[in-house]
Amino acid sequence: WACSKPVHENFMQCMSNQLKSGKNHSQIIYSSSSPQFPNLLQSSQQNPRWSNSTSVLKPLFIITPFHESQVQASVICSRRHGLQVRVRSGGHDYEGLSYLSKSPFVVIDLVDLRSVDVNIKDETAWVQSGATLGELYYAISKASKVHGFPAGICPSVGVGGHFSGGGFGTMLRKHGLAADNVLDAHVVDSNGRILERKTMSEGLFWAIRGGGGGNFGIVVSWKIKLVRVPHIVTGFTVSKTLAQGASLLVHKWQYIADKLHEDLFIRIILQNVGEGNNQKTVQASFNSLFLGGKERLVQLMKERFPELGLQARDCIEMSWIQSVLYIAGYNKDQPLEVLLDRETLYKSKFKAKSDFVNTPIPEVGFKGIWDMFSQEEVVFMIMDPFGGKMNEISEFETPFPHRKGNLYNIQYMVKWDADGVGESNKHLRWIRVLYWYMRPHVTRSPRGAYVNYRDLDLGTNNLVKKSYQEARTWGVKYFKGNFERLARVKNKVDPDNFFRNEQSIPPLPSLL
Ligand code: FDA
């Protein structure tokens, strides 16, 4: 008779059995009839593209564990009752893969697993996956003024998904990716076991540091190596429109940015701005963090990039934690507690894509980009320079392969607020055309992409057939030669493909 019971009853029974020694499981399981369910589901969806859609399937349950054992129970019971899981840390997945699914599923939301324990004596920290980058940076700054961590720019991004896909920000030229600075982790595998570095295979420890979230298990917490930062760092933002010579400067930047001293990170944000008379133009903002004082910075810029005309008055000296606020778009003097806000600034529907560039784009190439920008409203192209430490790490050391030879990464993004399929399609079409236009200017065979800027246009899995060959089309774009190793690790740790989604790594049996 048990078989005829609805799956949700069986699931609840299983959770109750698994958690019998712990607290009441009703405190962590929310079914779709619970009053908190809608808020909880929406709470950390950072891309509202699917919020009002009636065609998307809702999870049967949202589970908010506050202990590792509850994550284990959730995996065991979901598997036993044929439910897929979507694990969510900060909810920033560009395609919503942490809370959307086409099959019956549960969301395991790690929002209550977000402690940060900093150990300044050995310059490490244990951070749980549900913490945001802002919470991590905040906790480090409370413990030390001369330590930081090299991860992403937006404070609301979740540690769990971000570290799983690599994770980069203003210190990548000096210290590499967030994943390059991971020392240990606790992972709940597809059998519900908790593994740590000593008990997990080398392959699994390699795969979770950049192989993409949602593939190999649920990483509950990470041990990270903190990095030293100076007492004073300097930021600047110099913005130029096309009429003010932006084209030449952007073109020149490509020859310089990856070769600068590794203390200096200058990214470019391209966007449309109003020019008066209802006209718009493209503006390039050179947005920078220098790990040192302004005198040395101005000197360096005079020697290496005099065309930008940086003056001491453009430079703002501050502490490293203030620079986190500054680069994220806050005022550096705002209370640090804004870093604890879990919702992203400027939330709108969006679609993004990414590329890597290994040969400077000719000026005429940029001309075409400006033309494309003139056809849309809210668009961004963010160009993050590589070089420095990124050149020193082999492309096989972690799954993130875009190392030596890459001048910079590009992220293309289009945003909109209006509802409706027609509206969405208009913007999706625009960004796809821009991506097509960029083909001759970016890496080829394979064309590179960054897994943390997830893009389902690159290809999706056939969830029924689970074909490795099919998945290679998108897999090699994210991981190049590491894709095959990821698929072999997947076969060892999750041969039944329990952790799967539209773009998860398929298991590749050793004999193939
Ligand atoms: P989310 O919870 O949606 O998870 C993302 C994926 O990882 C999903 O597939 C999910 O199932 C899986 N996952 C989540 N937690 C997991 C866990 N504990 N164990 C295993 N799998 C897990 N990137 C960057 O490198 N630098 C940057 O500066 C920024 N900035 C930025 C700003 C904004 C506004 C957005 C929306 C995104 C970024 N990103 C970024 C991209 C970001 O790194 C990427 O979206 C991360 O995967 C987000 O991690 P979350 O935990 O927030 O997402």
Side-chain angles (χ1 to χ4, degrees), residues 433-488:
V433 174
L434 175 65
Y435 188 71
W436 177 85
Y437 168 79
M438 292 300 291
R439 272 178 321 160
H441 303 306
V442 296
T443 52
R444 267 173 267 181
S445 308
R447 184 173 182 175
Y450 174 33
V451 70
N452 264 346
Y453 299 157
R454 172 114 47 205
D455 178 6
L456 292 186
D457 290 351
L458 300 180
T460 53
N461 290 332
N462 178 335
L463 289 176
V464 182
K465 263 191 5 212
K466 32 174 195 179
S467 151
Y468 168 79
Q469 277 315 327
E470 226 171 32
R472 263 186 64 81
T473 52
W474 54 265
V476 296
K477 293 186 167 68
Y478 291 139
F479 305 112
K480 293 168 70 175
N482 292 327
F483 182 63
E484 184 178 329
R485 182 171 176 200
L486 285 169
R488 292 200 190 281

Side-chain angles (χ1 to χ4, degrees), residues 250 253 266-268 270 366 381-385 408-410:
V250 172
W253 170 91
I266 309 175
R267 64 174 178 159
I268 298 179
L270 300 172
F366 284 105
M381 225 171 105
I382 301 173
M383 299 151 77
D384 284 316
Y408 58 96
N409 169 261
I410 303 180

Side-chain angles (χ1 to χ4, degrees), residues 250-256 258-259 357-366 383 405-408 440-442 444:
V250 172
H251 183 250
K252 186 76 208 269
W253 170 91
Q254 301 179 98
Y255 291 86
I256 299 168
D258 69 301
K259 296 170 195 73
V357 174
N358 55 12
T359 314
I361 299 174
E363 277 177 78
V364 55
F366 284 105
M383 299 151 77
N406 288 288
L407 306 180
Y408 58 96
H441 303 306
V442 296
R444 267 173 267 181

Side-chain angles (χ1 to χ4, degrees), residues 87 89-93 98 129 153-154 158 161-162 168 213-214 219 450 452:
V87 53
S89 289
H92 287 65
D93 192 286
S98 52
S129 281
I153 284 172
C154 178
H162 186 67
F168 60 72
V219 184
Y450 174 33
N452 264 346

Side-chain angles (χ1 to χ4, degrees), residues 268-272 346 351 353 373 377-383 410-415 430-431 434:
I268 298 179
I269 302 167
L270 300 172
Q271 62 186 309
N272 283 328
Y346 322 118
K351 169 73 190 168
K353 292 177 166 292
F373 267 47
E377 292 302 320
V378 190
V379 291
F380 298 91
M381 225 171 105
I382 301 173
M383 299 151 77
I410 303 180
Q411 175 174 201
Y412 317 92
M413 185 175 277
V414 58
K415 289 185 156 196
W430 179 86
I431 200 167
L434 175 65

